[in-house]
Amino acid sequence: MSGFVFGEKPIQIESGEGPYVYDDDENEYLDMGASYACAPVGHCHPDVVEAVESQASDLLFVQGSYPTETRTALYDRLGDLAPGELDNVWLCNSGTEANEAALKFARHATGREKVVAAKRAFHGRTLGALAATWKQKYREGFAVPEHVEFVDYGDSDALAEAVDDETAAVILEPIQGEGGVHPAPEGYLQAARDACDETGAALVFDEIQTGLGRTGSLWACEQAGVVPDALTVAKGLGSGLPIGATLVADWLAEDSGDHGSTFSGGPVPCAAALATLDVLEDDLAANAASVGDYLQEQLAELPVRDVRGDGLMIGVEVKRGANRALRALAMNHGILALPAGRTVVRLLPPLTVTESHADRVVDALAEEL
Ligand code: PLP
């Protein structure tokens, strides 16, 4: 018997601490991808581990129809941290489910079907989120529903033209991640806000990769000064325990239909999320901004095609294929990073990294490129 979906890498990781993971021979790797951005406060942060252990010994799970102190605390916490008035919180288990819920709520509240999304977008792999995901490779053979109109990311006029009074939702990443690390041009997110205001469509920001301080503020949309009607978050929220959230405005929450999930708001992932938020709020967004700027400046000196991103969400467009560079980083320098398409090396490290970690990555890339 074997798993069959992931192509596994030839390094067996057995433990982690801070920005490092360790293989079965106790070799150390600097995890500059934070394991798909799921370790924003570092691996096995002691406060998170303690919160999980303590919650697990009290109560592993209870059905969602009974409140628990931990879940209620997380509702309150996320509601307080949400941009604008997005203090209605739906908890789920992954990023794709958070987007799925946002799109369902938008359809129910508007009574409309159409969704507008961007070319190169990645929103997840369940059928609703997949329908708003651009890359053919992910869609092929899955009979993906066809209610989504795709527009060029960054083209405000094309977006305004596509959004009409049949549009339930516009879904956008404030910085496209999987699609190659492309930040929204200035004014683009506001143009999306305007188009939704004019037509009554719901604006959904997918902050699953950009959120939780990664771009230098808690939410990337804050930097653009634009508040959506729904914001989705997942990945690092539970420091690796599966939890996602959809934060929505009153008008979506009031008419959201019958949505649910067995594992929504389980006490252990909620405890992990509360502890993660405690650590994150200790100025890690500011660290992401300053170390991110430093890292981008150094990377721009290398022989690369482009360096893009914000804070500690950085794409380095290399000349000879991302996979070659990633393999060399891992095997020759003990540094793990991620691809974003064929030519982009993506850095999404824990927000705790320092300038000396940044130097190590720059030196390694300088040698390999
Ligand atoms: N949205 C964005 C922007 C993502 O980067 C991802 C995952 O990479 C998802 C959605 C899907 O999240 P998950 O893999 O937890 O379903």
Side-chain angles (χ1 to χ4, degrees):
M1 292 273 265
S2 65
F4 70 99
V5 170
F6 274 109
E8 286 177 357
K9 311 241 176 306
I11 301 171
Q12 183 165 319
I13 302 297
E14 295 295 346
S15 62
E17 189 178 357
Y20 300 105
V21 290
Y22 299 87
D23 70 13
D24 47 349
D25 282 327
E26 292 179 18
N27 294 307
E28 182 181 270
Y29 298 87
L30 177 60
D31 189 2
M32 290 299 288
S35 290
Y36 298 152
C38 290
V41 300
H43 288 276
C44 292
H45 191 288
D47 295 359
V48 179
V49 172
E50 195 194 320
V52 167
E53 283 177 350
S54 159
Q55 179 60 61
S57 62
D58 284 346
L59 181 67
L60 278 176
F61 186 71
V62 67
Q63 67 190 71
S65 48
Y66 298 107
T68 66
E69 195 181 325
T70 318
R71 188 190 317 125
T72 304
L74 185 59
Y75 284 153
D76 291 345
R77 188 66 169 279
L78 286 171
D80 288 346
L81 295 175
E85 310 284 307
L86 306 188
D87 55 3
N88 304 281
V89 181
W90 159 250
L91 294 173
C92 57
N93 314 288
S94 64
T96 197
E97 284 171 89
N99 285 334
E100 205 76 32
L103 297 173
K104 280 180 74 179
F105 298 154
R107 277 180 156 188
H108 200 275
T110 60
R112 305 172 184 174
E113 182 179 331
K114 178 176 155 185
V115 170
V116 175
K119 294 179 185 172
R120 293 191 311 237
F122 185 86
H123 296 296
R125 297 176 190 254
T126 50
L127 282 172
L130 184 60
T133 289
W134 167 250
K135 215 183 212 175
Q136 195 51 25
K137 178 178 100 166
Y138 299 133
R139 304 167 60 98
E140 227 158 55
F142 291 121
V144 177
E146 287 179 0
H147 55 274
V148 179
E149 183 172 340
F150 288 97
V151 292
D152 284 332
Y153 187 76
D155 182 339
S156 300
D157 294 339
L159 185 72
E161 204 168 307
V163 182
D164 55 26
D165 56 15
E166 290 176 7
T167 307
V170 173
I171 182 165
L172 293 171
E173 297 156 88
I175 299 177
Q176 290 189 312
E178 181 78 20
V181 189
H182 295 278
E186 196 157 344
Y188 183 59
L189 300 181
Q190 184 59 50
R193 178 69 277 170
D194 295 343
C196 289
D197 288 343
E198 272 163 37
T199 56
L203 180 60
V204 180
F205 284 161
D206 175 344
E207 293 242 17
I208 287 160
Q209 208 164 126
T210 52
L212 299 175
R214 179 155 298 285
T215 64
S217 54
L218 190 62
W219 312 113
C221 65
E222 287 171 345
Q223 287 162 255
V226 180
V227 178
D229 300 295
L231 182 148
T232 55
V233 53
K235 285 201 179 286
L237 180 59
S239 281
L241 267 67
I243 183 164
T246 310
L247 316 179
V248 304
D250 289 347
W251 73 275
L252 287 180
E254 278 157 14
D255 188 11
S256 55
D258 190 338
H259 187 60
S261 163
T262 295
F263 290 123
S264 169
V268 179
C270 284
L274 283 166
T276 302
L277 291 170
D278 279 344
V279 182
L280 269 174
E281 280 191 87
D282 198 14
D283 248 9
L284 285 188
N287 188 62
S290 70
V291 177
D293 283 352
Y294 175 80
L295 183 50
Q296 283 213 45
E297 275 165 30
Q298 312 298 312
L299 291 168
E301 302 292 314
L302 298 178
V304 294
R305 284 192 207 283
D306 197 13
V307 178
R308 304 186 284 266
D310 207 353
L312 287 171
M313 178 169 180
I314 300 175
V316 184
E317 186 148 355
V318 294
K319 292 181 182 161
R320 283 198 294 146
N323 280 338
R324 197 195 133 275
L326 290 168
R327 204 171 309 115
L329 280 178
M331 292 312 181
N332 305 338
H333 304 272
I335 295 173
L336 309 182
L338 299 164
R342 277 183 299 121
T343 56
V344 177
V345 171
R346 186 170 31 149
L347 303 173
L348 303 169
L351 309 188
T352 52
V353 291
T354 62
E355 291 187 359
S356 81
H357 296 120
D359 289 340
R360 198 173 139 190
V361 175
V362 173
D363 291 347
L365 278 171
E367 207 176 305
E368 298 299 339
L369 297 175

